[in-house]
Amino acid sequence: MDSWVRFSAQSQAKERLFRAAQYACTLLGYTFQKSGASPDLVAKIKQLEAHMSLGRKLFRLGSSADALEAAKRGVHLSDSVLRLCITVAHLNRAMYFACDNILWAGKAGLVRKLDQDKWSQRSFRYYLFALIMNLSRDVYELSLLMERELRGPKGSSVCSSPVSESREAVSGSGLGLPALPQRLRAQLLLLATVLRCNPPLLLDLLKNTCDLFIPLDRLGLYRTNPGFVGACGLASSLMSILTITYPWLKLKP
């Protein structure tokens, strides 16, 4: 109950709920349309999706300032790679939110003759750049953890047994071609073990990967379909809700 009270008290949590509902409508609308449902039902679901999208934009007013503050904090990180990835990601998020606020003003009638398509494309470009930097940060942290597990003393890992096995497999493999499958198997075992022992990193990696398909589709860089976009958006929204409800699941800088 305490987790739920903390969750509902945050505007970001409300925005995540609206986001989950929006992409659930996207997925349902595509499913019903493919299954031959009545046009009226599909139209009502799309209208509900549009209302949810507009409501999300209202919750995101002022989020640019929060992203800029996060970018300022990122500048002071000691690790140069993390400093670059986190700072640039937050700066792109700030620009994305600024474009999103302009779009909200246009849809609310506060700004006349606004080119919605141009500003939407611009916002998704910033969103894509932010996700690329977030994924780069995830991959970097994953590589650091894997290297630490391999170089650390045996038994020092939280998941010492599987990691020890992967160490032995990697160190015992030669450089010839016959040893490649064993080495690859050991690396995959190490990867799975590190992710299993670090739920925040695993969740962040999955969430950013799901989100990546949204701007790729909207920008026309990798076309999928509304059903796939809706499923990815719904999955990433649920993972975001988990990190808000249980803060220990959120990846720390």
Side-chain angles (χ1 to χ4, degrees), residues 59-115:
F59 280 122
R60 290 201 296 263
L61 289 176
S63 295
S64 291
D66 296 335
L68 288 175
E69 286 298 321
K72 289 180 182 178
R73 293 192 297 270
V75 171
H76 301 291
L77 293 174
S78 57
D79 190 298
S80 59
V81 177
L82 288 179
R83 182 167 63 245
L84 173 66
C85 292
I86 292 176
T87 303
V88 174
H90 283 305
L91 289 175
N92 277 281
R93 284 181 66 249
M95 295 302 299
Y96 162 70
F97 288 134
C99 293
D100 195 67
N101 293 341
I102 294 173
L103 279 170
W104 174 83
K107 290 183 177 180
L110 300 177
V111 178
R112 296 181 179 180
K113 298 180 180 179
L114 181 70
D115 191 336

Side-chain angles (χ1 to χ4, degrees), residues 126-142:
Y126 286 122
Y127 184 36
L128 177 61
F129 293 150
L131 288 173
I132 290 173
M133 298 310 297
N134 285 336
L135 281 169
S136 301
R137 178 256 182 109
D138 291 338
V139 173
Y140 175 70
E141 292 215 26
L142 182 58

Side-chain angles (χ1 to χ4, degrees), residues 30-242:
Y30 177 79
T31 304
F32 286 156
Q33 189 174 18
K34 284 294 183 181
S35 62
S38 65
D40 290 340
L41 176 61
V42 175
K44 287 180 180 178
I45 293 176
K46 289 184 177 180
Q47 186 178 14
L48 179 59
E49 176 189 349
H51 288 322
M52 291 295 175
S53 177
L54 190 61
R56 283 183 59 209
K57 294 183 187 303
L58 181 61
F59 280 122
R60 290 201 296 263
L61 289 176
S63 295
S64 291
D66 296 335
L68 288 175
E69 286 298 321
K72 289 180 182 178
R73 293 192 297 270
V75 171
H76 301 291
L77 293 174
S78 57
D79 190 298
S80 59
V81 177
L82 288 179
R83 182 167 63 245
L84 173 66
C85 292
I86 292 176
T87 303
V88 174
H90 283 305
L91 289 175
N92 277 281
R93 284 181 66 249
M95 295 302 299
Y96 162 70
F97 288 134
C99 293
D100 195 67
N101 293 341
I102 294 173
L103 279 170
W104 174 83
K107 290 183 177 180
L110 300 177
V111 178
R112 296 181 179 180
K113 298 180 180 179
L114 181 70
D115 191 336
Q116 298 275 347
D117 290 336
K118 183 184 75 173
W119 281 98
S120 178
Q121 291 288 303
R122 187 172 295 170
S123 69
F124 277 115
R125 280 197 294 270
Y126 286 122
Y127 184 36
L128 177 61
F129 293 150
L131 288 173
I132 290 173
M133 298 310 297
N134 285 336
L135 281 169
S136 301
R137 178 256 182 109
D138 291 338
V139 173
Y140 175 70
E141 292 215 26
L142 182 58
S143 65
L144 287 181
L145 289 171
M146 292 176 66
E147 184 178 357
R148 188 181 305 164
E149 293 289 355
L150 280 176
R151 293 187 176 182
K154 293 183 179 181
S156 63
S157 171
V158 177
C159 305
S160 55
S161 177
V163 175
S164 298
E165 293 174 6
S166 62
R167 283 199 194 109
E168 293 170 2
V170 172
S171 61
S173 61
L175 298 176
L177 291 177
L180 285 178
Q182 181 183 4
R183 187 176 184 84
L184 179 60
R185 186 166 59 252
Q187 290 288 351
L188 291 175
L189 175 62
L190 178 61
L191 174 64
T193 301
V194 169
L195 288 175
R196 181 170 62 87
C197 295
N198 295 271
L201 179 58
L202 173 61
L203 204 61
D204 198 68
L205 185 62
L206 291 175
K207 179 172 66 68
N208 288 325
T209 302
C210 288
D211 280 335
L212 188 65
F213 290 102
I214 299 173
L216 286 177
D217 181 82
R218 299 295 173 84
L219 293 172
L221 299 175
Y222 184 79
R223 291 289 187 186
T224 52
N225 58 65
F228 184 78
V229 171
C232 288
L234 178 59
S236 66
S237 299
L238 293 177
M239 285 185 274
S240 295
I241 290 172
L242 273 178

